[in-house]
Amino acid sequence: MSSDCPFCRIVRGDIPARVVYEDDDVLSFLDANPLARGHTLVVPKTHHERVAAMPDDDRDAVFGALGRLGPSVQAAVDADGLNVGMNDGSAAGQEVPHVHGHLVPRFEGDGGGAVHSIVRTRPDLPDEEMDELEADIRHAAE
Ligand code: 5GP
Ligand code: ZN
């Protein structure tokens, strides 16, 4: 637990939140500044700053809860779709340094974009570099 982390404070009950789901490992609550009706967050109860810092059980609990809760959030607001995502690291837009998954309900014609819209300039990668990337990532994942 981190004393000045807002999500640890919510987990401890020190500050209020609109909690929609809780189990031993995760807490899920409405985003205070929603991108859409029903915008919901899922956090591990234990403080981890980045996805890679989570032990397997917390990681599985967070991703499992995102998968299970998504359809409930979508149904509750009668949405047409859902963006499921994480900003992992400040370069990726993470502002609260406690792992959290976003469930953002989407509606036909809402004017929003796809995950692809998070990047403004795409790299133009030649085949050789794509081959190298495939090998490098495959190697790193071994
Ligand atoms: P990120 O770190 O991925 O950029 O997003 C953090 C999210 O947490 C934002 O969407 C923001 O509205 C939400 N948020 C930040 N502080 C609080 C809080 O104290 N309570 C709740 N419910 N949401 C918060
Ligand atoms: Zn925390």
Side-chain angles (χ1 to χ4, degrees):
M1 289 283 169
S2 168
S3 59
D4 55 358
C5 168
F7 292 169
C8 283
R9 294 177 72 199
I10 288 173
V11 168
R12 282 198 303 270
D14 291 349
I15 57 174
R18 292 184 170 85
V19 173
V20 299
Y21 174 79
E22 178 173 15
D23 62 27
D24 288 346
D25 304 308
V26 304
L27 190 70
S28 179
F29 49 89
L30 296 187
D31 193 296
N33 294 291
L35 295 172
R37 289 177 61 244
H39 182 175
T40 297
L41 302 175
V42 175
V43 310
K45 286 189 168 178
T46 304
H47 183 89
H48 304 290
E49 190 164 331
R50 298 283 304 273
V51 171
M54 282 192 290
D56 291 356
D57 52 352
D58 278 342
R59 185 197 59 215
D60 292 349
V62 168
F63 282 94
L66 283 167
R68 288 191 303 276
L69 283 170
S72 307
V73 170
Q74 181 174 329
V77 297
D78 200 21
D80 303 305
L82 202 62
N83 284 109
V84 183
M86 289 188 176
N87 298 324
D88 188 31
S90 59
Q94 184 178 6
E95 293 186 352
V96 176
H98 179 135
V99 171
H100 52 281
H102 293 261
L103 295 167
V104 183
R106 297 296 303 275
F107 302 85
E108 296 292 350
D110 65 13
V115 166
H116 296 67
S117 62
I118 61 178
V119 168
R120 291 197 183 90
T121 52
R122 297 189 190 201
D124 186 14
L125 301 175
D127 285 348
E128 304 74 45
E129 193 168 348
M130 290 292 279
D131 291 342
E132 279 175 33
L133 287 166
E134 176 189 357
D136 290 348
I137 295 171
R138 185 185 289 272
H139 178 68
E142 280 171 2

